[in-house]
């Protein structure tokens, strides 16, 4: 192909294909509305599962399906703290025993605690 034929055609920006002779899949148009009062339509395939929530194309907030069922609330797991995970592995008596052992080691001086050089200067 000659370079002259492509000059000024904006390659990649424009498609030269047409929809002539092509049967498109059956579609349905669904309407959404956001909290800010924006209403817009989104085309979906007839076979597609329609989402209850869609991002508003005007402001980016969540838009709900008009004339649709309310979205199901997702079950949230309760937050597990470090203490909860620790109590899954040990009983309170075992923890008190471990604490007593560690305190004994600290008080006896058998544990070598390195002192940072910066801390020695200030002491």
């Amino acid at each position: 192909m000659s370079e002259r034929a492509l000059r000024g055609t904006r390659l990649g920006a424009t498609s030269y294909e047409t929809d002539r002779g092509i049967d498109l899949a059956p579609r349905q148009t669904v309407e959404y509305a956001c909290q800010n009062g924006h209403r817009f339509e989104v085309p979906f395939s007839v076979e597609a599962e329609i989402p209850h929530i869609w991002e508003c194309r005007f402001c980016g907030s969540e838009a709900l399906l008009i004339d649709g069922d309310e979205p199901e609330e997702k079950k949230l797991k309760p937050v597990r703290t470090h203490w909860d995970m620790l109590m899954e592995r040990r009983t309170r008596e075992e923890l008190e025993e471990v604490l007593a052992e560690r305190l004994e080691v600290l008080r006896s001086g058998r544990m070598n605690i390195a002192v940072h050089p910066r801390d020695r200067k200030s002491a």
Side-chain angles (χ1 to χ4, degrees), residues 70-107:
E70 288 293 319
E72 295 178 11
E73 292 291 325
K74 293 182 180 177
K75 292 183 180 179
L76 299 175
K77 289 184 176 180
V79 178
R80 286 178 46 199
T81 63
H82 179 72
W83 179 255
D84 294 333
M85 291 184 271
L86 187 62
M87 292 306 290
E88 289 175 7
R89 296 190 308 267
R90 312 250 178 166
T91 64
R92 192 168 190 98
E93 292 78 25
E94 290 173 331
L95 290 173
E96 289 188 16
E97 184 179 324
V98 170
L99 175 64
E101 289 173 6
R102 299 313 298 164
L103 286 174
E104 181 184 330
V105 169
L106 280 173
R107 290 178 181 144

Side-chain angles (χ1 to χ4, degrees), residues 28 30 32 44-46 48-53 65:
Q28 61 181 330
V30 179
Y32 288 91
F44 287 99
S45 169
V46 173
E49 183 177 329
I50 308 299
H52 297 286
I53 298 174
L65 179 65

